[in-house]
Amino acid sequence: MTTSSRAVVLEAFGEPLQMHTYDVPAPKDMAALVRVGFAGVCGTDVHLQAGRLSIPTPVVLGHEAVGRIDALGAGLTHDVLGAPLAEGDWVSWLNNIACGRCYYCLVEGRPTLCTGSRRIYGINQRADEWPHVSGGWSDYIYLQPGTVLVKLPEVASPQEAISLGCAGPTAVHGALDEVRIRPGDTVVVQGSGPVGMAAAMYAELAGARHVVVVGGPAARLETAARLGVGQAHVDIFETTDPAERARIVRAETRRGEGADVVVEATGVPAAVAEAIDLVRPDGQVSVVGQYTDHGPTPINPHLITRKNLTISGSWGFGARHYIGYVSSLPQLLDRFDLAALVTEYPLEQAESAVADVKAGSVLKAVLRIGGR
């Protein structure tokens, strides 16, 4: 029986990641111990290492992962959808546990805005406190009681399930919950990273007639085109003038008026003003990409009023978004080669994976830890 686990630890902001070894805990009641198979590397991990988000350190990174159940605590017999669980099952899990008691959890039904003790795997769980292995960049992860645990659909391989990481449920929230995409709509997605790609995929599943992906670099847009993600692709590095980009994008829309829905998934503040310019009168804008604070940007509020726009913010994702993502994997796989998004790295190369994500040289970096 394995008694120790390697784990990649962020000890201090701006410093190289460290490999530590921790004792593997036995699961208590309603908890689970999972042998991690694959763990995603997200843009948020780049921000965490750089110190752009206030989190406790040291921390085992990794807020997106899939793995096999190694041991189940007493009372944990089924996943959140009622499927029976057993050792060896491939599972994934919601990366946060909201407090369930604050105003936003109980009254507003918005657990992503939880103001209580919201626990997030791989982000705010200290590695120097029990159970230590509370992040996915580890041989094992301890899933605490209250975790939304989901058995993977048989049609989805672990690599396919992790291919969109937290981008999948983020897109379910931002592109399906906060705005309404109707069959026949024209949708513009700003951003060609994992969140933008996922948003474009879900726009198509929702029945959009025409999806325009505005992003870059060219290799990402070529991947999107090859996988059938979007019908038109506009390279921001090739067309650097926002006015010219707007002209090109509007030419892809009905009557040249603009998109029915624009999903901003760039993280660049100026893209929000551009989204307002790209959407048609009485259209909808979902601002998903501003996860870290890159500062203010000028906008023309007159356009919001004159166009009668609906603009929504979308912060993170909750249980229904995560379940929606996992449940939709069969439909996504019917249309898109999700595994083609992935570049794999061994756990020992986590630092290189983060660097490649920061450089934008890969679309989705994934640490292969346990594999199949």
Side-chain angles (χ1 to χ4, degrees):
M1 179 180 177
T2 303
T3 59
S4 64
S5 175
R6 299 171 303 158
V8 176
V9 177
L10 174 64
E11 292 185 340
F13 300 130
E15 297 295 325
L17 304 174
Q18 303 295 322
M19 186 77 78
H20 287 221
T21 301
Y22 297 100
D23 291 337
V24 175
K28 296 185 178 181
D29 291 359
M30 298 302 292
L33 183 67
V34 171
R35 175 76 162 96
V36 179
F38 300 89
V41 181
C42 174
T44 299
D45 295 309
V46 175
H47 299 319
L48 293 175
Q49 187 179 27
R52 294 197 189 102
L53 293 169
S54 179
I55 63 167
T57 56
V59 60
V60 177
L61 292 176
H63 57 277
E64 15 173 275
V66 296
R68 286 182 181 272
I69 293 176
D70 189 78
L72 293 167
L76 183 57
T77 57
H78 292 75
D79 76 356
V80 71
L81 298 176
L85 294 174
E87 292 181 11
D89 285 344
W90 278 98
V91 292
S92 62
W93 50 92
L94 178 65
N95 64 14
N96 63 89
I97 306 173
C99 76
R101 299 182 299 276
C102 71
Y103 174 81
Y104 289 101
C105 284
L106 281 177
V107 179
E108 294 294 335
R110 294 280 191 175
T112 64
L113 299 178
C114 174
T115 57
S117 53
R118 185 165 173 250
R119 292 164 285 166
I120 310 173
Y121 293 114
I123 293 182
N124 69 359
Q125 303 295 284
R126 296 185 65 94
D128 55 359
E129 297 177 356
W130 191 91
H132 308 294
V133 283
S134 294
W137 296 4
S138 176
D139 291 317
Y140 289 86
I141 185 170
Y142 186 93
L143 300 181
Q144 303 168 33
T147 301
V148 175
L149 188 63
V150 189
K151 195 172 178 179
L152 290 182
E154 291 185 2
V155 299
S157 71
Q159 295 96 323
E160 290 166 336
I162 198 61
S163 64
L164 291 176
C166 65
T170 296
V172 170
H173 185 190
L176 298 184
D177 261 23
E178 295 298 336
V179 290
R180 182 183 174 192
I181 298 173
R182 300 175 177 86
D185 274 355
T186 297
V187 177
V188 168
V189 176
Q190 297 170 293
S192 52
V195 175
M197 294 281 270
M201 291 177 187
Y202 278 113
E204 295 194 32
L205 290 188
R209 175 191 64 87
H210 197 59
V211 176
V212 183
V213 179
V214 182
R220 289 190 172 187
L221 297 178
E222 289 165 5
T223 298
R226 186 175 70 251
L227 299 183
V229 180
Q231 288 73 50
H233 305 85
V234 179
D235 189 337
I236 62 172
F237 297 106
E238 181 179 311
T239 307
T240 58
D241 178 38
E244 178 62 12
R245 276 201 303 270
R247 185 193 67 76
I248 293 170
V249 171
R250 286 200 204 96
E252 297 285 339
T253 68
R254 290 191 188 93
R255 301 177 301 279
E257 288 188 322
D260 300 290
V261 177
V262 176
V263 179
E264 180 279 317
T266 68
V268 179
V272 178
E274 196 165 325
I276 293 171
D277 195 30
L278 295 176
V279 71
R280 67 165 171 81
D282 208 36
Q284 305 168 81
V285 175
S286 179
V287 180
V288 181
Q290 308 300 312
Y291 188 71
T292 53
D293 190 349
H294 288 279
T297 188
I299 64 171
N300 185 348
H302 171 65
L303 293 179
I304 299 173
T305 301
R306 182 174 64 78
K307 284 187 169 185
N308 203 65
L309 299 183
T310 299
I311 300 180
S312 300
S314 179
W315 180 252
F317 54 89
R320 74 171 181 270
H321 311 122
Y322 193 76
I323 293 166
Y325 167 61
V326 177
S327 298
S328 67
L329 279 170
Q331 294 128 290
L332 288 169
L333 290 168
D334 278 345
R335 298 188 62 165
F336 308 108
D337 181 8
L338 298 184
L341 304 175
V342 170
T343 301
E344 291 187 7
Y345 301 75
L347 184 63
E348 296 84 358
Q349 293 181 13
E351 189 78 51
S352 296
V354 173
D356 288 348
V357 170
K358 182 179 180 180
S361 59
V362 297
L363 189 48
K364 184 59 190 179
V366 169
L367 302 178
R368 186 185 184 102
I369 303 172
R372 273 202 173 276

